[in-house]
């Protein structure tokens, strides 16, 4: 389970995320959706202990990530958007190291199984510095899944993956959640979000534009009967953005009128 | 369908690449720790003041011997330039490979409409700054003092500075050329290994060169008044007339006397040729060399799983910290930029030991005092080792640090694991140096024991200080560990380490002095049984425990706060 409560992150005067709250229940795949700079990665970084919240709390599996970091971190696996790994280790050595950090029982056979799953068995003894971006991303995914964590936190999961691996990963997330575990992913790929996520938060410039299941969002944006692709997530997303822009324009105009009146 | 021709770019001035770099540097400085800059600024100022005063005094002293004495200074200047230029040559090849082929911004710059030669001219300049900035900084105040001492004309000042720049630019050009050639001819996938091996060979050459100068012979001859004059006369002419640093030394010396020396011209031509050659060749060879550097050796695909070896299994029993130590050991032994540091360490310790053994000190009391004071220098050697191994220990996690940061391991475990990983090296080198130098100088039992204790304390505190400060201000984007130490934190570490070495000596100075100056009153270990001795030992113990603990604690606390 993931609980984000009143999470705000400021860098100087810039507010990257503003008062964000959401909860992800076990058994669900939850998507953080938004354009570049929406605050998705900033939120994820707070959840995995890379960025300290300016205010608010973030809890994973019941543990505050910043007050009880070791227990919280033992409960989640994290897949970053850029898979920087130790180039001078082989995939097997790196995964054994991860297995030790997370105290994974019978790590060797689990590593063999995962390498086979991602068709990396032949490359398991090669240094990671010789891998392509997609192969590194697969190793990062295995590293996150090796401890079979109760919570999986994923930042832009499909970057660099071939179509076959991308489908495998999508299925993995779904099956992980179906086993009663929690999955949180950020993406700006609307088809991925639509295909995998049970619930979504749409962010823009650090603020929540909409939250709920696809049906909730359709109802809120009035896109149930939009014709061809009218009820797609893409339509919902752009409707939310348009609503937000409209709201901002209205506020500016009101402020302008008040200024003239004064 | 109508086809619209692509718009022609307007002819405007090309953007300044060095301006771009300077702007990035300004941003880095603005965001950097102000206390660090203040500390480094203070240390640098002290160094410059010390250098200026020392040079002036040396010139005044040698000036009493007339021209012969001053020529000795000229020869020492030449030896210094040869030594520094050799050091620059050693580091220039690896620095050049990092900047000419492995820089992150190369892909960006080379896909812009900028001439390739401009890009590589920038990269050669960066190599110069990486490899030669510190020697230039060390040399220029000395040269200006020489100029002031001789009341040199105004034009001599820029000429002397130019000579200093040229003498270090030449080895940078040579290193860059070597790097380019290596990228062309070294076996695919082994470019960095080959260049490191070459660097080690040059380093060994440097060690040999220093030993060949036999400074102890100079000391021996100076002790014999009948040989002083002959020695000074021997020193009057340039010692290595075919070496470019000798040309620079002559140019500098004569400029200080108001004469423009001819050897500056070949130095200028050589340096310009090397730098231009390196730039042009790098631009031409880039495509091929770049592709070779990125290529790995042909993978020998083997699906059979390779399991953990004995040492890994052993260390894994210690928990996550042990697993981290096993990982670090493996990465260090595989990464030439890391294992080459070990060779430099051995070279440093070797030169020191050989030099200590060779210094002739006939008077026992003087030998005892010097034997005790040299422990401070040993502390500096340990600091030189720690700045290459302990200080970068956390930073060498590089961009893979996210894996540790998001894993269930505490910053305390990370810092302790790094500390315990480096400690065996510093402890071994420290104890070997302490015991070997004490034995070779035939020191008494008290001084031998103090050597062991001070070496132990130095190794513990300086290693902890290195790991702690390195964890407090890690640099995860460095290309190789050697450049991590060249930072405000690294320089502050060196300063604090030296201060700690001196503190150790002060704590035990009285019992040490008692045992050396009054062996009749304090035979055996009895000097340590006095009040001063006991207090000194307690002080050393406290300094060691507190210094080690607080250094490491600072490290893991700051690492915990890192975002």
């Amino acid at each position: 389970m993931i609980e984000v409560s009143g999470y705000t992150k400021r860098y100087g005067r810039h507010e990257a995320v503003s008062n964000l709250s959401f909860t992800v229940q076990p058994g669900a795949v939850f998507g953080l959706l938004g354009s570049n700079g929406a605050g998705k990665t900033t939120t994820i970084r707070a959840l995995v202990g890379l960025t300290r919240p300016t205010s608010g709390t973030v809890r994973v599996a019941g543990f505050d990530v910043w007050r009880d970091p070791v227990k919280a971190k033992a409960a989640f696996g994290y897949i970053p958007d850029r898979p920087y790994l130790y180039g001078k280790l082989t995939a097997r050595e790196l995964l054994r190291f991860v297995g030790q950090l997370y105290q994974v029982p019978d790590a060797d056979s689990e590593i063999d199984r995962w390498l086979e799953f991602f068709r990396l068995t032949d490359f398991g003894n090669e240094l990671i510095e010789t891998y392509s971006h997609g192969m590194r991303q697969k190793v990062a995914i295995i590293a996150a899944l090796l401890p079979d964590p109760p919570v999986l936190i994923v930042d832009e999961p499909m970057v660099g993956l071939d179509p076959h691996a991308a489908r495998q990963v999508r299925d993995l997330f779904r099956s992980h959640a179906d086993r009663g575990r929690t999955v949180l992913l950020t993406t700006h790929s609307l088809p991925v979000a639509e295909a995998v996520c049970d619930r979504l938060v749409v962010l823009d410039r650090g603020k929540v534009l909409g939250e709920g299941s696809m049906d909730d969002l359709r109802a809120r944006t009035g896109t149930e009967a939009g014709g061809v692709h009218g009820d797609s997530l893409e339509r919902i997303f752009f409707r939310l953005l348009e609503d937000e822009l409209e709201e901002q324009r209205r506020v500016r105009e009101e402020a302008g009128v008040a200024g003239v009146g004064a | 369908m109508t086809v619209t021709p692509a718009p022609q770019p307007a002819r405007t001035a090309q953007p300044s690449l060095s301006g771009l770099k300077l702007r990035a540097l300004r941003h880095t400085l603005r965001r950097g720790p102000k206390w660090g800059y203040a500390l480094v600024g203070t240390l640098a100022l002290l160094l410059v003041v010390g250098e200026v005063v020392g040079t002036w005094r040396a010139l005044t002293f040698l000036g009493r011997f007339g021209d012969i004495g001053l020529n000795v200074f000229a020869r020492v200047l030449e030896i210094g330039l040869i030594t520094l230029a050799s050091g620059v040559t050693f580091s220039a090849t690896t620095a050049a490979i990092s900047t000419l082929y492995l820089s992150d911004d190369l892909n960006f710059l080379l896909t812009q409409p900028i001439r390739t030669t401009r890009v590589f001219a920038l990269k050669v300049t960066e190599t110069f700054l990486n490899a030669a900035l510190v020697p230039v900084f060390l040399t220029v105040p000395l040269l200006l003092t020489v100029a002031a001492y001789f009341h040199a004309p105004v034009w001599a000042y820029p000429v002397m500075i130019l000579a200093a720049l040229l003498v270090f630019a030449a080895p940078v050009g040579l290193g860059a050329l070597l790097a380019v050639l290596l990228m062309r001819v070294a076996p695919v996938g082994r470019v960095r290994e080959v260049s490191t091996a070459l660097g080690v060979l040059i380093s060994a050459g440097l060690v040999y060169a220093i030993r060949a100068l036999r400074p102890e012979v100079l000391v021996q001859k100076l002790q014999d008044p009948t040989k002083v004059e002959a020695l000074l006369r021997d020193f009057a002419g340039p010692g290595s007339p075919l070496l470019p640093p000798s040309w620079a030394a002559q140019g500098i010396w004569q400029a200080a006397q108001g004469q423009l020396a001819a050897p500056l011209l070949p130095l200028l031509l050589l340096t310009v040729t090397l730098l231009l050659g390196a730039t042009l060749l790098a631009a031409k060879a880039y495509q091929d060399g770049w592709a070779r550097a990125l290529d790995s050796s042909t993978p020998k695909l083997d699906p059979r799983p390779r399991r953990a070896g004995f040492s890994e299994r052993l260390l894994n029993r210690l928990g996550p910290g042990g697993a981290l130590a096993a990982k670090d050991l493996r990465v260090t032994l595989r990464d030439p930029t890391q294992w080459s540091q070990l060779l430099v360490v051995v070279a440093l310790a070797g030169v020191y030991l050989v030099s200590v053994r060779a210094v002739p000190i006939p008077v026992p009391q003087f030998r005892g005092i010097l034997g005790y004071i040299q422990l401070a220098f040993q502390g500096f050697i340990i600091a030189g080792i720690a700045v290459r191994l302990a200080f970068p220990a956390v930073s060498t996690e590089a961009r893979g640090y996210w894996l540790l940061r998001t894993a269930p391991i505490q910053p305390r475990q990370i810092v302790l694991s790094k500390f315990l990983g480096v400690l065996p090296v510093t402890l071994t080198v420290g104890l070997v140096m302490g015991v070997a130098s004490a034995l070779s100088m035939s020191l008494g039992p008290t001084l031998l024991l103090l050597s062991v204790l001070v070496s132990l304390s130095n190794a513990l505190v300086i290693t902890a200080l290195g790991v702690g400060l390195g964890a407090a201000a890690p640099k995860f984007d460095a290309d190789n560990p050697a450049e991590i130490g060249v930072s405000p934190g690294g320089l502050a570490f060196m300063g604090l380490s030296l201060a700690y070495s001196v503190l150790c000596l002060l704590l035990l100075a009285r019992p040490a002095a008692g045992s050396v100056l009054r062996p009749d009153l304090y035979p055996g270990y009895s000097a340590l049984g006095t009040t001063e001795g006991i207090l000194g030992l307690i002080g050393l113990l406290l300094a060691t425990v507190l210094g080690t603990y607080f250094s490491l604690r600072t490290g893991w606390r700051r690492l915990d706060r890192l975002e």
Side-chain angles (χ1 to χ4, degrees):
Chain A
M1 185 176 181
I2 296 172
E3 297 158 278
V4 174
S5 174
Y7 169 60
T8 298
K9 181 67 190 176
R10 280 190 213 100
Y11 296 102
R13 288 182 185 172
H14 172 65
E15 198 164 73
V17 180
S18 175
N19 197 26
L20 177 66
S21 299
F22 62 85
T23 302
V24 189
Q25 297 292 346
V29 180
F30 191 90
L32 275 178
L33 203 63
S35 337
N36 295 332
K40 308 184 297 291
T41 296
T42 307
T43 305
I44 288 271
R45 286 173 64 83
L47 273 168
V48 298
L50 290 171
T51 298
R52 198 177 287 271
T54 307
S55 62
T57 56
V58 286
R59 298 172 73 86
V60 174
F63 302 109
D64 188 306
V65 175
W66 288 93
R67 290 204 178 139
D68 213 347
V70 174
K71 285 180 181 163
K73 288 172 183 180
F76 68 74
Y78 168 53
I79 305 171
D81 56 342
R82 280 173 289 183
Y84 291 116
L85 301 168
Y86 304 111
K88 293 291 177 190
L89 294 184
T90 68
R92 278 184 201 285
E93 288 164 353
L94 178 93
L95 294 170
R96 275 208 306 270
F97 174 53
V98 171
Q100 282 295 322
L101 289 179
Y102 288 82
Q103 304 291 309
V104 178
D106 196 18
D108 277 336
S109 58
E110 278 298 293
I111 291 167
D112 292 345
R113 185 175 71 78
W114 278 113
L115 289 176
E116 187 61 38
F117 180 82
F118 279 114
R119 300 196 283 190
L120 286 175
T121 302
D122 285 350
F123 298 89
N125 300 327
E126 289 296 311
L127 295 185
I128 291 171
E129 68 182 8
T130 65
Y131 283 20
S132 69
H133 179 87
M135 288 163 80
R136 289 176 201 212
Q137 184 72 343
K138 287 177 186 174
V139 175
I141 291 170
I142 298 174
L145 288 168
L146 189 65
D148 193 18
V151 175
L152 187 61
I153 299 171
V154 191
D155 196 2
E156 298 292 354
M158 305 305 174
V159 176
L161 293 181
D162 58 65
H164 177 258
R167 196 173 69 184
Q168 274 184 312
V169 169
R170 241 176 16 225
D171 294 345
L172 268 178
F173 293 160
R174 188 67 263 165
S175 69
H176 199 71
D178 290 346
R179 287 193 295 124
R181 284 151 169 17
T182 308
V183 179
L184 170 72
L185 62 89
T186 72
T187 182
H188 45 233
S189 165
L190 301 176
V192 168
E194 193 167 1
V196 187
C197 298
D198 302 309
R199 290 179 69 79
L200 294 156
V201 162
V202 179
L203 291 175
D204 185 54
R205 284 177 282 182
K207 290 185 179 155
V208 176
L209 300 188
E211 182 188 352
S213 64
M214 281 288 287
D215 287 340
D216 296 337
L217 292 171
R218 279 185 199 115
R220 183 182 151 184
T221 54
T223 53
E224 296 97 327
V228 178
H229 303 306
D231 60 350
S232 73
L233 182 56
E234 186 174 314
R235 182 82 188 96
I236 294 169
F237 181 72
F238 285 114
R239 175 60 63 86
L240 285 169
L241 281 182
E242 285 160 12
D243 289 351
E244 173 66 10
L245 286 172
E246 183 62 33
E247 175 66 15
Q248 284 174 5
R249 194 167 58 233
R250 191 182 59 74
V251 169
R252 271 202 307 274
E253 279 175 7
E254 281 180 8
V257 168
V260 171
Chain B
M1 189 175 111
T2 55
V3 177
T4 312
Q8 293 294 315
R11 283 190 177 274
T12 51
Q14 292 253 318
S16 161
L17 295 182
S18 45
L20 192 72
K21 288 281 170 182
L22 281 174
R23 197 169 304 136
L25 179 66
R26 267 208 308 274
H27 292 318
T28 308
L29 291 176
R30 202 175 298 147
R31 291 176 178 205
K34 301 290 179 287
W35 63 268
Y37 295 133
L39 189 64
V40 170
T42 310
L43 286 174
L45 192 67
L46 287 173
L47 187 72
V48 169
V49 169
E51 202 179 336
V52 169
V53 172
T55 307
W56 191 273
R57 285 191 176 175
L59 283 166
T60 310
F61 172 75
L62 289 168
R64 288 183 204 149
F65 293 89
D67 282 349
I68 295 178
L70 290 173
N71 282 335
V72 169
F73 189 94
R75 181 75 187 280
V76 171
L77 177 70
E78 180 194 335
I79 292 170
L81 287 181
I82 290 173
T83 308
L84 285 174
S86 308
V88 172
T89 312
F90 166 55
S91 55
T93 311
T94 43
I97 286 188
S98 294
T99 49
L100 286 170
Y101 286 97
L102 305 174
S103 297
D104 285 340
D105 59 349
L106 265 176
N107 274 344
F108 169 73
L109 290 174
L110 290 168
T111 51
Q112 303 305 309
I114 305 170
R115 279 203 316 277
T116 318
T117 44
R118 279 191 67 205
V119 174
F120 282 101
L122 174 79
K123 290 291 154 193
V124 171
T125 309
E126 278 180 31
T127 308
F128 175 80
L129 293 175
N130 284 340
L133 194 63
V134 173
V136 168
F137 173 74
L138 286 174
T139 312
V140 167
L142 187 146
L143 300 187
L144 297 181
T145 311
V146 171
Y149 179 83
F150 287 110
H151 305 290
V154 177
W155 61 261
Y157 287 81
V159 167
M160 290 166 89
I161 292 172
L162 176 70
L165 290 173
L166 291 176
V167 77
F168 297 121
V172 167
L174 183 67
L177 259 179
L178 276 173
V180 174
L181 292 173
L182 277 170
M183 301 301 276
R184 299 267 312 172
V185 300
V188 175
R190 289 281 174 269
V191 170
R192 298 191 87 172
E193 281 83 348
V194 171
S195 69
T196 305
L198 192 83
V200 170
L201 282 178
I202 293 172
S203 172
L206 170 64
V207 172
Y208 177 77
I210 291 172
R211 294 305 312 137
L213 295 171
R214 294 176 63 78
E216 67 276 10
V217 175
L218 177 66
V219 177
Q220 271 168 345
K221 286 186 177 173
L222 280 171
Q223 285 170 353
D224 184 351
T226 58
K227 291 181 182 169
V228 170
E229 201 169 322
L231 174 78
L232 295 181
R233 233 179 258 117
D234 285 349
F235 259 56
S240 317
L242 293 178
L243 286 179
S246 294
W247 305 341
Q250 287 177 56
I252 288 164
W253 196 250
Q254 291 190 25
Q257 326 274 340
Q259 295 168 346
L260 197 57
L264 280 180
L265 188 63
L267 179 66
L268 180 69
L269 288 175
L270 176 76
T271 306
V272 170
T273 308
L274 284 170
L275 290 175
L276 268 180
T279 304
L280 294 174
L281 197 61
K284 193 168 169 55
Y286 168 77
Q287 203 66 39
D288 189 38
W290 176 246
R292 290 171 72 91
L294 289 183
D295 263 353
S296 62
S297 49
T298 312
K300 301 181 189 84
L301 299 183
D302 180 7
R304 285 172 301 178
R306 281 187 209 150
R307 304 297 185 208
F310 174 73
S311 60
E312 186 182 332
R313 276 182 279 135
L314 195 68
L315 286 167
N316 282 347
R317 287 188 187 164
L318 301 173
L324 179 59
K327 186 272 294 174
D328 283 344
L329 182 64
R330 179 167 277 136
V331 170
T332 301
L333 294 178
R334 281 188 190 157
D335 186 351
T337 64
Q338 292 192 45
W339 61 250
S340 60
Q341 302 301 315
L342 289 170
L343 294 171
V344 175
V345 164
V346 173
L348 271 175
V351 169
Y352 184 77
L353 272 182
V354 172
S355 302
V356 164
R357 286 171 69 91
V359 173
I361 310 154
V363 185
Q365 278 80 0
F366 187 44
R367 192 167 59 226
I369 296 293
L370 196 68
Y372 186 63
I373 289 174
Q374 58 96 27
L375 290 176
F377 295 111
Q378 283 187 26
F380 203 58
I381 300 280
I382 295 289
I385 294 167
V387 81
R388 291 163 184 278
L389 295 177
F391 189 76
V394 171
S395 298
T396 48
E397 290 295 321
R399 293 187 173 101
Y401 179 66
W402 68 267
L403 196 70
L404 287 183
R405 181 70 178 180
T406 61
I409 181 170
Q410 294 165 347
R412 184 170 57 84
Q413 288 173 295
I414 296 172
V415 169
L416 282 176
S417 170
K418 301 285 183 185
F419 171 68
L420 294 173
V422 179
L423 189 62
V425 180
T426 49
L427 205 54
T428 307
V429 175
L431 284 174
V432 166
M433 280 200 307
V435 173
S437 59
L439 292 179
S440 72
M441 295 175 88
S442 308
L443 301 182
T446 301
L447 285 187
L448 179 62
L449 180 64
L450 290 183
S451 291
V452 171
L453 294 178
V454 170
S455 301
L456 200 67
S457 177
N458 273 340
L460 281 164
V461 175
I462 292 174
T463 309
L465 202 58
V467 173
L469 287 180
K475 187 172 163 57
F476 291 125
D477 56 355
D479 286 325
N480 71 62
E483 75 184 60
I484 296 168
V486 190
S487 63
L491 296 174
F493 161 68
M494 291 298 286
L496 288 171
S497 297
L498 191 59
Y500 183 76
S501 307
V502 174
L503 174 73
C504 283
L505 289 198
L506 293 178
L507 283 171
L508 293 160
R510 291 196 75 123
S515 76
V516 172
L517 300 175
R518 298 301 304 271
D520 50 330
L521 279 181
Y522 302 105
Y525 295 106
S526 59
L528 296 173
T530 59
T531 310
E532 290 95 339
I534 292 168
L535 285 176
L537 287 173
I538 292 172
L540 183 70
L541 181 69
L542 281 175
T544 307
V545 172
L546 296 178
T548 306
Y549 175 71
F550 283 108
S551 300
L552 293 174
R553 196 179 76 154
T554 304
W556 71 62
R557 284 194 166 183
R558 294 290 295 260
L559 191 62
D560 192 29
R561 286 204 289 268
L562 185 77
E563 287 190 31

